[in-house]
Amino acid sequence: MHHSTHVFPALSTQLTGQSLVSHAGLSVLSNFLNALDFQRVCEDRFSQFVPATAAHRSGRILGALALSLAAGGEQATDIDQLRAAPGLFGPVASDATVSRFMSRIKEQPDAFAYGFATMTRTLRSKVWAASGPRNPARLATPADPLIIDIDASLVHVHSEKEFSAGTYKGGYGFSPMIAMADYGKTNGTGEVLAVHLRPGNRGANSAASHIEVLNQALAQLPDDFYDERGNLRGEKILVRTDSAGSSREFLHYLDSLGIQFSTSYSLPVIKERFIRWIDEKKYWEPALNAGGDQRDDAWVIDASKVIELKDYPAGTRIYLRAEPLHPGAKATLFDTDGNRVTAFLTNSPRFNVAFLDARHRARGRCENRIKTLKSTGLGKLPYWSFASNQAWAVLAMLALNLVAWLQLAVLPGGHEASVWDVKRWRYRLFSMAGKVVSGGRQRRLLIPEKAPEARLLCQLHEGIGALFQRWRHGELAA
């Protein structure tokens, strides 16, 4: 008789009434929301969206949706994962209650948008103030400003939804414009300031859309970016975009606010002698890589005296970068010596060519934030109503930002988890199993001692508890 050899242990399965929790690691985010006094802030902004006698208040509904999206949920009904663990997450609203809440949002979209914007600004101000020496607002200076990345993306849908339209890639859906804060790789992964949902046929190079999402983002910044009269201190901010944001209208708008900019630029057709000048690399200087070291196969140069810029804001300069063509890439008119030549515009008060180039190329980090935002809810808009989908988009933003705020205010500087994206948080921490037990008139959450991130979970809980006590006793500005 032959005996089969199993790859893994084969266990019989049976049901149990024990208080087992499959997403015990999410307790980090639920405790963080409690420490932020999320319930009170939501009640102040959204009390009109729930009946006065309702047991499930707005904070509990929005908090459960944000936790579900952070854990990987894709629609409102996925909060049943939280409903299965009342000992850890408390009573969770039913699907019908959430549906009625979203219907009220659809009826009052402007009220919800204003309430959500003021709520997130309050929470952001509180978290940034608690981050101490890593506070992005206090670190921002004209020489090293806070960077706001603006970029458009495509969200494809597979059914008819309000205001959905065909996209330039032949798909169908929406083209949201997104503004994100990048406050340095050493301080975390950055966060999202605003999401402006648009029909799929809206172009990425719309100056009006750039201005709209920028204004939403600026309204999210704490008071440190405004003077005593409420005027924006634009010199402490740098807006970074791809070539879609290089329109004269948008750059003049930034200049009127005193904001710095760094935007990719499509080179115009220029005379042959300029192309020959570009080939003379003896006038160029080495570019820097992401670590700040010089590269021996890439060069940068200030071309402001050679390439004329017309009708751009005063002080706008153009910089060129040359690097080897990628395998399979087709050469353009300017790529005559085997190098791809690209350009960007800036009005920054700094003139270190290699530094400006490296800072502009770091714009690639915003692509990771957009990918993460899509994985926390933006990638699958579940409603037919445009207003409801816009509300879903900002809930996805809140889910992403909760993790970013943890990295900024709770984790110590340099911790390996400070650069994790949400998917890694889910696999390493949020999906951790546990068991709720009672004893001595207290309930406790038991976590496997051998779980790889058990120490990180305890460290986060301790950090959140310390922050809560400091907020409670007024040691930190709210």
Side-chain angles (χ1 to χ4, degrees):
M1 180 177 179
H2 296 285
H3 297 279
S4 62
T5 302
H6 298 291
V7 178
F8 299 105
L11 305 178
S12 60
T13 304
Q14 63 184 38
L15 301 179
T16 179
Q18 297 186 39
S19 298
L20 306 179
V21 184
S22 60
H23 286 83
L26 271 181
S27 59
V28 169
L29 292 185
S30 61
N31 283 357
F32 192 45
L33 286 174
N34 289 337
L36 287 169
D37 203 7
F38 186 75
Q39 173 69 19
R40 182 189 62 80
V41 177
C42 284
E43 189 66 23
D44 183 53
R45 268 75 172 183
F46 306 111
S47 58
Q48 71 271 34
F49 292 95
V50 294
T53 57
H56 295 285
R57 308 305 301 171
S58 56
R60 183 173 294 177
I61 296 173
L62 291 175
L65 288 172
L67 289 183
S68 175
L69 290 175
E74 295 182 344
Q75 52 189 346
T77 55
D78 287 336
I79 64 172
D80 59 357
Q81 292 288 341
L82 309 183
R83 197 180 299 124
L88 183 60
F89 301 109
V92 177
S94 66
D95 294 345
T97 299
V98 175
S99 179
R100 288 191 294 268
F101 184 80
M102 298 302 293
S103 295
R104 297 186 186 100
I105 291 176
K106 180 177 64 176
E107 297 167 359
Q108 307 177 65
D110 293 338
F112 179 81
Y114 177 78
F116 203 93
T118 56
M119 177 195 73
T120 51
R121 184 180 189 271
T122 299
L123 297 179
R124 178 173 291 105
S125 300
K126 193 171 185 177
V127 171
W128 283 21
S131 60
R134 293 191 292 168
N135 185 342
R138 296 177 183 173
L139 290 175
T141 64
D144 291 295
L146 174 72
I147 296 175
I148 297 179
D149 289 305
I150 298 179
D151 202 357
S153 187
L154 295 178
V155 175
H156 298 287
V157 298
H158 304 283
S159 62
E160 185 71 28
K161 297 181 185 294
E162 188 178 20
F163 298 148
S164 57
T167 69
Y168 74 95
K169 287 190 175 181
Y172 188 78
F174 299 93
S175 177
M177 189 73 74
I178 307 165
M180 300 150 279
D182 182 357
Y183 35 69
K185 187 175 181 180
T186 57
N187 289 337
T189 55
E191 60 189 82
V192 178
L193 299 176
V195 181
H196 178 45
L197 198 62
R198 307 182 303 161
N201 58 0
R202 295 289 297 275
N205 58 348
S206 169
S209 295
H210 278 81
I211 292 173
E212 173 67 22
V213 76
L214 172 66
N215 289 336
Q216 294 178 15
L218 295 178
Q220 287 293 304
L221 298 180
D223 291 337
D224 293 307
F225 288 94
Y226 296 86
D227 60 22
E228 60 277 1
R229 297 181 180 179
N231 298 318
L232 180 71
R233 295 175 176 173
E235 70 279 0
K236 297 174 63 177
I237 303 169
L238 181 138
V239 171
R240 190 170 57 188
T241 73
D242 57 11
S243 59
S246 62
S247 65
R248 292 174 176 83
E249 180 183 354
F250 181 56
L251 296 186
H252 276 289
Y253 183 75
L254 294 175
D255 184 64
S256 69
L257 298 177
I259 295 176
Q260 301 179 48
F261 58 80
S262 179
T263 174
S264 298
Y265 181 69
S266 298
L267 285 170
V269 177
I270 57 180
K271 297 180 181 180
E272 183 181 358
R273 64 185 181 89
F274 289 154
I275 299 176
R276 292 177 179 175
W277 169 78
I278 288 175
D279 290 343
E280 294 291 337
K281 293 300 181 293
K282 63 182 180 181
Y283 301 114
W284 299 52
E285 63 180 87
L288 302 178
N289 59 22
D293 300 321
Q294 287 189 357
R295 291 183 54 176
D296 56 7
D297 61 347
W299 306 267
V300 290
I301 193 171
D302 184 349
S304 304
K305 295 181 179 180
V306 179
I307 302 177
E308 183 180 5
L309 297 174
K310 295 182 178 180
D311 301 326
Y312 281 91
T316 301
R317 305 185 304 280
I318 180 170
Y319 293 89
L320 304 183
R321 175 190 176 89
E323 61 182 335
L325 284 168
H326 297 296
K330 294 183 179 179
T332 66
L333 176 66
F334 307 103
D335 306 331
T336 57
D337 61 346
N339 291 299
R340 168 59 46 85
V341 177
T342 56
F344 69 96
L345 306 177
T346 185
N347 63 346
S348 175
R350 300 184 67 161
F351 290 85
N352 186 318
V353 182
F355 167 82
L356 294 174
D357 172 73
R359 183 173 68 180
H360 181 72
R361 287 178 59 80
R363 198 192 71 84
R365 287 202 292 265
C366 78
E367 300 294 341
N368 291 331
R369 288 185 211 102
I370 293 176
K371 180 182 67 175
T372 301
L373 184 62
K374 288 183 177 181
S375 72
T376 54
L378 184 64
K380 293 187 177 180
L381 301 173
Y383 299 99
W384 178 86
S385 164
F386 183 82
S388 298
N389 283 328
Q390 174 65 62
W392 186 262
V394 296
L395 278 171
M397 175 181 68
L398 176 62
L400 181 151
N401 287 344
L402 285 175
V403 177
W405 291 340
L406 270 179
Q407 294 171 319
L408 181 66
V410 181
L411 281 177
H415 195 283
E416 63 174 357
S418 65
V419 296
W420 288 0
D421 64 6
V422 169
K423 287 186 177 180
R424 187 163 178 81
W425 279 91
R426 290 170 184 165
Y427 184 76
R428 301 291 297 180
L429 194 77
F430 297 161
S431 62
M432 188 180 298
K435 183 177 181 180
V436 178
V437 299
S438 300
R441 298 183 179 181
Q442 291 183 345
R443 287 187 303 174
R444 296 183 300 277
L445 175 64
L446 301 183
I447 297 296
E449 185 179 5
K450 295 183 179 180
E453 305 302 339
R455 293 182 181 274
L456 174 60
L457 182 71
C458 295
Q459 181 181 10
L460 288 170
H461 278 300
E462 292 175 2
I464 292 170
L467 269 183
F468 172 71
Q469 292 300 326
R470 296 179 68 186
W471 279 325
R472 182 180 181 184
H473 297 294
E475 298 178 15
L476 294 171

